[in-house]
């Protein structure tokens, strides 16, 4: 039976086959093949973009596209606390319950994400421009430690060692980091440093943690 309390499940059959056509997703390629009953699962801090943030993003994209025209803005913004892991459907409820217990004591906190950086995913199929955290690492590492503890309970991969916490802004297919680093990266940092609202915008208060598993979302408010 479906676990009680799961959110937003328009399809009651977790075993339904999924089409894996990358052309429907801007050329993105899965990090792991889809299997029926496996749910891609990710723990993160959501960032709700304000109008001023979107203005900054447009300035950055306009400049970056002179180097890589195929760059696309992210549709949603977040800071990852876990890798994307593969979770069996019947493990969703106990994993969410364990996360809720471990994260219940955490309070809201601030961090600053104001350093432009270029990233690629592990298999080099996508390149990202992100804003790296320059202040607030300690609290983020504490959260990751608790999330890692839950993932270990289910024999799932933990987060990266010495992570570069960041909010991804834009992406493109392939490893195009060479075009974006160097001169382009410096120009993007100059835009961030000179943006009138950046000091206010990029000092972020985190108020909740989320876990996304397939098409289901779970929220864990910070105290």
């Amino acid at each position: 039976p479906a676990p009680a309390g799961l959110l937003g499940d328009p399809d009651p059959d977790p075993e339904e086959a999924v089409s894996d056509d990358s052309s429907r997703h801007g050329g993105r390629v899965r990090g792991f093949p889809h299997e029926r009953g496996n749910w891609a699962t990710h723990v993160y801090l959501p960032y709700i973009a304000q109008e001023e943030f979107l203005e900054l993003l447009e300035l950055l994209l306009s400049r970056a596209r002179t180097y890589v025209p195929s760059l696309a803005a992210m549709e949603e913004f977040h800071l990852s606390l876990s890798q994307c892991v593969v979770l069996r459907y019947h493990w969703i409820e106990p994993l969410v319950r364990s996360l809720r217990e471990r994260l219940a004591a955490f309070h809201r906190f601030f961090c600053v994400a104001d350093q432009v950086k270029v990233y690629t995913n592990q298999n080099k199929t996508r390149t990202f421009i992100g804003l790296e955290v320059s202040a607030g690492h300690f609290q983020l590492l504490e959260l990751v430690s608790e999330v890692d503890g839950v993932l270990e309970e289910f024999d799932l991969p933990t987060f990266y060692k010495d992570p570069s916490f960041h909010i991804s802004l834009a992406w493109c297919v392939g490893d195009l980091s060479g075009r974006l680093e160097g001169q382009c990266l410096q120009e993007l940092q100059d835009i961030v440093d000179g943006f009138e609202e950046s000091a206010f915008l990029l000092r972020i208060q985190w108020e909740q943690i989320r876990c996304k598993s397939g098409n289901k979302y779970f929220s864990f408010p910070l105290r």
Side-chain angles (χ1 to χ4, degrees):
L6 295 186
L7 306 179
D9 187 3
D11 177 9
D13 181 6
E15 301 294 325
E16 183 182 4
V18 173
S19 171
D20 210 8
D21 181 359
S22 66
S23 66
R24 297 172 60 190
H25 308 286
R28 287 174 288 184
V29 178
R30 284 183 180 272
F32 44 82
H34 174 77
E35 291 184 25
R36 296 197 311 179
N38 284 351
W39 290 59
T41 301
H42 177 219
V43 182
Y44 60 96
L45 293 160
Y47 176 67
I48 308 303
Q50 304 174 41
E51 183 177 349
E52 294 87 351
F53 182 85
L54 297 177
E55 291 175 3
L56 173 60
L57 175 61
E58 187 55 41
L59 289 174
L60 294 170
L61 269 178
S62 179
R63 182 65 57 85
R65 282 174 177 154
T66 64
Y67 292 86
V68 176
S70 60
L71 278 167
M74 301 296 292
E75 295 180 1
E76 297 180 346
F77 305 96
H78 66 265
L79 188 150
S80 292
L81 299 175
S82 79
Q83 299 189 59
C84 187
V85 299
V86 179
L87 188 65
R88 297 297 294 174
Y89 184 74
H90 60 276
W91 287 350
I92 296 175
E93 185 178 21
L95 182 135
V96 168
R97 184 167 56 245
S98 187
L99 281 172
R100 197 173 302 281
E101 291 171 357
R102 281 181 173 262
L103 299 173
F106 281 88
H107 292 263
R108 299 179 183 187
F109 67 97
F110 286 94
C111 75
V112 178
D114 60 358
Q115 300 299 305
V116 185
K117 192 166 180 179
V118 176
Y119 299 89
T120 56
N121 60 354
Q122 285 183 304
N123 52 10
K124 305 294 184 182
T125 59
R126 284 199 284 167
T127 304
F128 300 85
I129 295 173
L131 288 173
E132 185 182 31
V133 168
S134 62
H137 281 84
F138 177 76
Q139 293 93 332
L140 293 170
L141 287 171
E142 283 193 320
L143 287 174
V144 166
S145 177
E146 295 299 330
V147 173
D148 278 353
V150 173
L151 296 176
E152 287 172 342
E153 292 176 20
F154 293 84
D155 199 26
L156 294 170
T158 55
F159 205 40
Y160 308 106
K161 185 178 180 181
D162 301 321
S164 172
F165 294 110
H166 65 278
I167 299 171
S168 291
L169 303 176
W171 67 278
C172 61
V173 173
D175 182 0
L176 300 181
S177 55
R179 299 190 199 176
L180 294 170
E181 291 171 342
Q183 181 64 30
C184 177
L185 190 62
Q186 184 57 57
E187 292 177 11
L188 297 180
Q189 188 64 58
D190 289 344
I191 290 172
V192 170
D193 293 343
F195 192 71
E196 184 177 357
E197 300 290 332
S198 64
F200 165 73
L201 281 176
L202 304 181
R203 184 176 184 267
I204 302 164
Q205 183 180 40
W206 303 111
E207 299 184 351
Q208 63 172 301
I209 300 164
R210 284 186 190 161
C211 176
K212 180 178 186 290
S213 189
N215 57 0
K216 304 177 188 299
Y217 291 83
F218 306 90
S219 179
F220 313 99
L222 298 170
R223 296 171 64 185

